C-alpha cells in the first residue's frame, strides 16, 4: 500500500494558521447560502449580501487549496489523489464542515493525545456527511422545486423529508423532484446514501468481529468478573 506523503513544515504552519479562519468561513458560507435560499421575503440587499458572503467564502477556500497544493510540493494530480476530501469540499463548499474531524485529528496528533479510532472516524464522518449532505440536498431541491409546475416539494419541510427518505434509500415516493437539477441532485444523494450505508455497516461489522475475536482469544478464567 502506498503511504501518504509527509506534510512539509511550511504546510503544517499554514494549516495551523488557517484552522480557525477556515472553520469560521465554512459556517458563514453555510449560513449565508441557507438564508439566501430560504429567505424569499427578505430585502434584496440582504439577499445580495448573503450571495456576496458565499462567493467570498468560496474564494477563501480556493485560495487555501491553491496555497496547500503549492506548499505540499506534490503537484496538482498527486495532491488530489492524496487529499481527495479537500478537493471535494472545494467543489462542494457546503460539505466544508466535514474537515472538522480531520482538523481535530491533526490537533490531537500534534499534542500527542489519543486519536479517534478508525471505527469512530468512520461513524463520525458518515454521520456528518449524512447530515450535511441531507441539509445541502434539501436546500438545493427546494431552491429548484418550490415554484416549479407540478412540483410536490413546496416547502423546506417537504425537501427535508424527501432528503431523509432518499439518503436512507427508502424512497416513499410521496414527494419527488420534477426539475432536471432536482433529479440530478436526487441521483447524487442516492449514490452517497448507498455508500454511507455500506461504510457504516462494514465498519460496525468489522468492530463486532474484532470484539468477538478478542473475546474468543482471551484465556479461560480471564473473563471480566472472574476471581
Amino acid at each position: 500500500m502506498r503511504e501518504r506523503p509527509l506534510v512539509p513544515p511550511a504546510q503544517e504552519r499554514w494549516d495551523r494558521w488557517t484552522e480557525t479562519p477556515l472553520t469560521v468561513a465554512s459556517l458563514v458560507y453555510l449560513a449565508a447560502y441557507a438564508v439566501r435560499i430560504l429567505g424569499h421575503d427578505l430585502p434584496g440587499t440582504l439577499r445580495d449580501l448573503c450571495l456576496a458572503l458565499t462567493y467570498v467564502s468560496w474564494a477563501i477556500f480556493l485560495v487555501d487549496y491553491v496555497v496547500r497544493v503549492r506548499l505540499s510540493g506534490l503537484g496538482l494530480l498527486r495532491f488530489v489523489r492524496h487529499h481527495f476530501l479537500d478537493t471535494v469540499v472545494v467543489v462542494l463548499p457546503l460539505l466544508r464542515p466535514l474537515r472538522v474531524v480531520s482538523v481535530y485529528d491533526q490537533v490531537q496528533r500534534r499534542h500527542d493525545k489519543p486519536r479517534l479510532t478508525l471505527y469512530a472516524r468512520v461513524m463520525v464522518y458518515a454521520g456528518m456527511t449524512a447530515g450535511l449532505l441531507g441539509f445541502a440536498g434539501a436546500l438545493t431541491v427546494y431552491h429548484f422545486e418550490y415554484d416549479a409546475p407540478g412540483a410536490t416539494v413546496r416547502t423546506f419541510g417537504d425537501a427535508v423529508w424527501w432528503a431523509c427518505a432518499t439518503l436512507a434509500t427508502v424512497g416513499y415516493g410521496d414527494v419527488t423532484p420534477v426539475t432536471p437539477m432536482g433529479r440530478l441532485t436526487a441521483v447524487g444523494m442516492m449514490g452517497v446514501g448507498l455508500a454511507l450505508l455500506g461504510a457504516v455497516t462494514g465498519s460496525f461489522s468489522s468492530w463486532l468481529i474484532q470484539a468477538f475475536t478478542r473475546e474468543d482469544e482471551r484465556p479461560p478464567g480471564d473473563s471480566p468478573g472472574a476471581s
Side-chain angles (χ1 to χ4, degrees), residues 34-48 50 142 146:
V35 169
R36 189 171 187 277
I37 296 299
L38 299 176
H40 302 296
D41 300 328
L42 293 176
T45 53
L46 184 55
R47 287 171 56 84
D48 291 341
C50 291
Y142 176 68
Y146 80 97

Side-chain angles (χ1 to χ4, degrees), residues 119 200-214:
Y119 305 114
V200 172
T201 302
S203 178
F204 184 68
S205 299
S206 297
W207 177 78
L208 284 178
I209 291 173
Q210 285 197 1
F212 290 145
T213 300
R214 286 195 299 267

Side-chain angles (χ1 to χ4, degrees), residues 16 19 103-115:
R16 285 197 298 269
E19 278 173 6
V103 170
Y104 170 82
D105 199 45
Q106 294 171 9
V107 171
Q108 294 290 83
R109 192 186 302 121
R110 282 201 297 267
H111 293 283
D112 295 325
K113 294 181 179 178
R115 299 164 55 192

Side-chain angles (χ1 to χ4, degrees), residues 68-89:
R68 295 180 70 230
V69 170
R70 186 67 180 271
L71 293 178
S72 69
L74 298 175
L76 180 59
L77 293 180
R78 288 189 64 201
F79 187 88
V80 170
R81 202 160 57 240
H82 293 287
H83 300 83
F84 184 71
L85 177 61
D86 296 332
T87 305
V88 169
V89 297

Side-chain angles (χ1 to χ4, degrees), residues 122 125-127 129-131 133 167 189 191-202:
V122 169
Y125 270 121
T129 302
L133 189 66
L167 279 175
M189 291 184 65
V192 174
L194 288 172
L196 287 174
L197 285 175
V200 172
T201 302

Side-chain angles (χ1 to χ4, degrees), residues 117-130:
T117 65
L118 174 62
Y119 305 114
R121 275 181 284 172
V122 169
M123 296 294 183
V124 171
Y125 270 121
M128 291 184 64
T129 302

Side-chain angles (χ1 to χ4, degrees), residues 141 145 148-154 158 161-162 166 171-179 182-183 186 190:
V141 167
E145 295 284 327
T152 56
V153 180
R154 292 297 187 182
D158 293 337
W161 168 251
W162 168 85
T166 303
Y172 288 110
D174 51 346
V175 287
T176 56
V178 297
T179 62
R183 290 177 174 176
M190 290 174 197

Side-chain angles (χ1 to χ4, degrees), residues 10-23 25-26 56-72 79 83 85-87 89-90 96 99 103 106:
Q11 185 181 343
E12 286 189 347
R13 289 194 297 271
W14 174 263
D15 290 341
R16 285 197 298 269
W17 185 75
T18 57
E19 278 173 6
T20 301
L22 287 175
T23 301
S26 302
V56 169
S57 300
W58 202 346
I60 292 173
F61 302 151
L62 287 172
V63 169
D64 171 68
Y65 188 82
V66 171
V67 171
R68 295 180 70 230
V69 170
R70 186 67 180 271
L71 293 178
S72 69
F79 187 88
H83 300 83
L85 177 61
D86 296 332
T87 305
V89 297
V90 168
R96 181 81 195 188
R99 290 206 72 244
V103 170
Q106 294 171 9

